[in-house]
Amino acid sequence: DPRLCFRAADLVTYRIGPATHREAVAIVPLLRDESRAELGALGYDDMEATLVRLVCGCPYTFCGADDDGPLFIGGAVPDGEPGAAIVWMLMSTRITDHQLFCLREMRKQAAAMSEKLPVLRNYTNVGHSRTTDWLTWLGFKVGEPMVHPQTGNIVLPFERRVEHV
C-alpha cells in the first residue's frame, strides 16, 4: 500500500530545549504578524534586540525547532513577586505546517513553567481572538480589557495560577 510508504527524507526531526541567542535571531524574520503585534503592543520596536535580551536574561526559556530552524520560542522572567513570572511565547509562520507538535509542546512548556513558577502572567493584544482562545487552551485565564501600565495601549491581562500542594 503506497500510503504506508515514506522516504527517510520525509521524516521531520523535532527538538525542544532552552532557547539560544542564535535561535532568537533566527526566528525574528519568521515571526507571525500576531507575535510582532504582541511585542509592539508592549512597547518593543526592535524585535531582534528584544528577543535576544529575553533569551539571554530569562532563567527559563524554551525553543521548539525542526531541521530547518525555530518554530516557536518563549520563556518566563521572575517579576519580583515570589513564585510569579512574566511569561512570553511567540510563534513563527512555520507553525502552520507543524501545528500538532507546536501546540502539544507549548502546552507542555506552560505546565513546566508552572512547576517552577506557579503564577505566570502577562498581557496580550486586545484584537487577537485566536490568541485568547489559545491562551485559554494553555490554562491561562484571560481578563477584561485594560490600559497597559507602561505603554497605555489597550490589552488583555492573562494569568495561569497553579496551587502546589
Side-chain angles (χ1 to χ4, degrees):
D1 184 349
R3 290 173 294 164
L4 299 176
C5 297
F6 56 88
R7 299 179 320 228
D10 294 333
L11 294 176
V12 176
T13 304
Y14 293 113
R15 63 190 175 286
I16 184 101
T20 65
H21 179 281
R22 192 172 113 218
E23 290 164 329
V25 171
I27 202 169
V28 170
L30 304 172
L31 286 175
R32 294 176 61 151
D33 290 341
E34 294 87 351
S35 291
R36 289 179 183 285
E38 291 294 332
L39 289 172
L42 300 175
Y44 301 114
D45 294 326
D46 186 336
M47 304 289 164
E48 184 173 316
T50 298
L51 279 179
V52 167
R53 188 172 60 251
L54 285 169
V55 165
C56 293
C58 284
Y60 187 98
T61 63
F62 59 89
C63 181
D66 67 2
D67 296 333
D68 293 327
L71 298 162
F72 59 86
I73 195 166
V77 182
D79 74 352
E81 178 185 323
I86 304 300
V87 64
W88 56 278
M89 298 173 286
L90 304 169
M91 293 181 268
S92 78
T93 56
R94 298 184 58 239
I95 68 151
T96 304
D97 296 330
H98 308 276
Q99 282 184 333
L100 190 57
F101 166 75
C102 294
L103 291 172
R104 277 189 196 153
E105 289 302 323
M106 291 185 90
R107 195 172 197 175
K108 287 179 189 175
Q109 291 302 312
M113 286 187 285
S114 289
E115 284 296 315
K116 297 179 184 304
L117 300 153
V119 179
L120 302 173
R121 61 172 68 111
N122 207 337
Y123 304 95
T124 187
N125 191 316
V126 75
H128 296 145
S129 60
R130 284 180 43 194
T131 300
T132 57
D133 292 343
W134 173 68
L135 287 167
T136 301
W137 183 78
L138 290 175
F140 290 90
K141 289 188 178 168
V142 180
E144 296 299 318
M146 62 174 281
V147 176
H148 188 278
Q150 278 90 29
T151 67
N153 293 328
I154 302 299
V155 294
L156 297 170
F158 63 89
E159 182 175 279
R160 179 183 164 115
R161 187 176 289 268
V162 177
E163 300 299 327
H164 293 253
V165 182

